[in-house]
Amino acid sequence: TEGMIEDALSEKQRRSAVNLILEACVEANRSGLIKKHTFTTEVVRSLRALKANKECIQLVVRNVISTGRKCRHRIAMEEAMYAALEERDYESLKLITEVFERSGYDSRRLSI
């Protein structure tokens, strides 16, 4: 399905969809919805499907793991690690992986 989304949208449509998701995240931040792992899971999966890896990484770093403490957003962190790997953003990958491990998850089981 992800490849179909990418092929079916023009660059302008893709950018517009990414912007709508990011606007929803601003509102989710205000309301506290961003703290729900089910919300962040859907957001990061949508951003990744739209090939918006940098936005995915930024969202997770700024809103999900910003405290640096334990985090329940396992899938969001996993997706952001894969996005960081694809973007060769090793600084973000290291940061997200550290929080992932500190949260009790095992990054060795991932393909990174």
Side-chain angles (χ1 to χ4, degrees), residues 6 8-18 50-51:
E6 182 187 353
L9 297 176
S10 70
E11 181 58 27
K12 185 177 179 183
Q13 290 170 319
R14 189 190 71 77
R15 193 74 243 157
S16 180
V18 169
L50 292 163
K51 301 297 182 201

Side-chain angles (χ1 to χ4, degrees), residues 37-98:
H37 63 90
T38 52
F39 178 80
T40 58
T41 295
E42 291 304 316
V43 167
V44 296
R45 284 184 172 160
S46 298
L47 289 171
R48 296 266 294 141
L50 292 163
K51 301 297 182 201
N53 285 334
K54 290 178 182 168
E55 291 84 350
C56 173
I57 296 163
Q58 287 176 349
L59 175 85
V60 170
V61 169
R62 290 181 185 162
N63 297 297
V64 176
I65 66 165
S66 58
T67 63
R69 296 190 299 254
K70 287 185 177 182
C71 180
R72 289 183 46 232
H73 300 251
R74 180 182 58 83
I75 295 169
M77 289 189 289
E78 286 178 6
E79 291 289 342
M81 284 188 276
Y82 288 125
L85 196 61
E86 285 179 24
E87 294 295 320
R88 294 183 169 90
D89 182 351
Y90 300 113
E91 186 177 323
S92 295
L93 178 60
K94 183 178 183 287
L95 174 66
I96 299 163
T97 303
E98 286 171 358

Side-chain angles (χ1 to χ4, degrees), residues 18-29:
V18 169
N19 286 336
L20 283 172
I21 292 168
L22 296 177
E23 286 175 31
C25 289
V26 169
E27 291 302 317
N29 213 3

